[in-house]
Amino acid sequence: MADQIHIVPHFHWDREWYFTAEESKILLVNDMEELTELIRQGKLIIGSWYTQTDEMVVGGESIVRNLLYGKMDCEAFGPRMMIGYLPDSFGQTARLPQILNGFGITSRF
């Protein structure tokens, strides 16, 4: 039995489904302010991607740039999550371990 449990949440925003554009903007600003404070306090680790990527649709350079921009944005707030987490992938590109290792990411989900 495992001694540790790892929870990896991710954020998905479907503003157009539930609220008006104005209501969505207010809610998004409030949510982002709260998330930013959790990140700065070290209660939430972000990253390591800039956006959620689908490895089988985009090219290798896009994946590298996604990680590069994610790295820069995350480090502006604090430490970034050093896990190669891809929540919505439908297959793995053979080069993904090489790409992740190039960014110092050696743990994978």
Side-chain angles (χ1 to χ4, degrees), residues 17-30:
W17 287 13
Y18 304 109
F19 308 106
T20 66
E22 292 78 19
E23 290 171 324
S24 292
K25 288 176 187 174
I26 292 168
L27 292 169
L28 180 59
V29 168
N30 291 339

Side-chain angles (χ1 to χ4, degrees), residues 34-46 74 77-81:
E34 184 178 341
L35 285 171
T36 301
E37 185 59 31
L38 286 172
I39 295 163
R40 292 191 195 281
Q41 291 177 10
K43 295 180 180 179
L44 179 66
I45 300 173
I46 59 174
C74 292
F77 291 97
R80 65 186 167 109
M81 183 171 61

Side-chain angles (χ1 to χ4, degrees), residues 5-78:
I5 297 174
H6 299 275
I7 300 172
V8 182
H10 74 281
F11 192 85
H12 184 88
W13 184 263
D14 281 328
R15 65 183 185 165
E16 69 277 5
W17 287 13
Y18 304 109
F19 308 106
T20 66
E22 292 78 19
E23 290 171 324
S24 292
K25 288 176 187 174
I26 292 168
L27 292 169
L28 180 59
V29 168
N30 291 339
D31 286 347
M32 294 309 291
E33 286 176 350
E34 184 178 341
L35 285 171
T36 301
E37 185 59 31
L38 286 172
I39 295 163
R40 292 191 195 281
Q41 291 177 10
K43 295 180 180 179
L44 179 66
I45 300 173
I46 59 174
S48 55
W49 299 93
Y50 179 70
T51 63
Q52 182 176 318
T53 191
D54 185 336
E55 320 166 51
M56 303 307 284
V57 175
V58 299
E61 183 175 344
S62 176
I63 294 171
V64 169
R65 287 184 183 273
N66 191 325
L67 280 166
L68 177 63
Y69 296 146
K71 176 183 186 295
M72 292 186 300
D73 283 353
C74 292
E75 289 174 349
F77 291 97

